[in-house]
Amino acid sequence: MAHGSRVCRGCGRLNSADDKACYNCGKSLPGPMTSSALGWLADFSADGLPATKAIAGLCILVYGLMMAVDASYGVGPGQVIWGFETSTFIRFGSLLGPPFIQEEPWRVLSAVFLHGNLLHIGMNMLSLVNLGRTLEPHFRTGRFLLLYLLCGALGFCTTVWWRGEFARSVGASGAIFGLLGAFIGALIVRRNPGWQNVFFSNLIMALVLAFAFKNVDNAAHAGGFVAGLVLGILLELERQPRRRDRLVAVLAGLGALAAVAGIVLSARSPIWKQVRMLEMHASERDDR
């Protein structure tokens, strides 16, 4: 979800969307034009956001592979706009409820890189880039990537706890809500009153999404947000963080490898093959 937050180019401090001047150094902040679509597109293509670009790249790659798999099943491009076959979701690592999640726990991480349709991935990638261009330079790449992975996984753990056997879900929005929570946490620690505007504007947007779209995973949103808020406060209070940069980078790298491994392991799972057989039998009955 977009929030329009900005970093002061003079001192590097976080400021909320409504601030016209940096609360720390008083320097004027960029206006709406530089925060437009062209602005974030320019930032995204520039150096300095490796984690944001890697996350978006993996999400887009997985989405393209899912399209290719469904196309091999004879699903037309028009159908893919509205969603994939259930077996395709499971094959690439979608979240599943008990008892499957006990056997394949990596799905709480792999599902963070899957999306249901073009609107889903489009909205999430816009929000990711908007948050990434603010938070990755602030927290630095390793911590930003670790935030994304932890919030996404903890958000889906919340889904499993809340929905039980009906916990079937995909998407980066739990992780993105976590990044939003981390942003608000950082503003709170810095005693920037703009956190209230950021919180309430995005809360309203979350409620609109919850009522406007079916199958919105509000449990993952809430779990990711709370995890991000706590982690954001802890990171902002961290003393001499540069001493732990290497350790955090290693942990983030291991987390990223675990996510990719989860996608690969899901492709080797017998669950999606069983579901695919059921889909084929259903399709044959419909043809008859």
Side-chain angles (χ1 to χ4, degrees), residues 135-141 143-144 147 182-183 186 232 235-236:
L135 296 183
E136 186 171 350
H138 178 73
F139 287 123
R140 293 192 293 280
T141 296
R143 285 168 177 78
F144 177 82
L147 265 174
F183 173 68
L235 288 175
E236 199 64 24

Side-chain angles (χ1 to χ4, degrees), residues 8-28:
C8 175
R9 295 181 180 179
C11 65
R13 296 295 179 92
L14 286 171
N15 291 268
S16 68
D18 296 330
D19 290 339
K20 296 196 180 346
C22 177
Y23 79 97
N24 181 64
C25 67
K27 185 175 180 179
S28 296

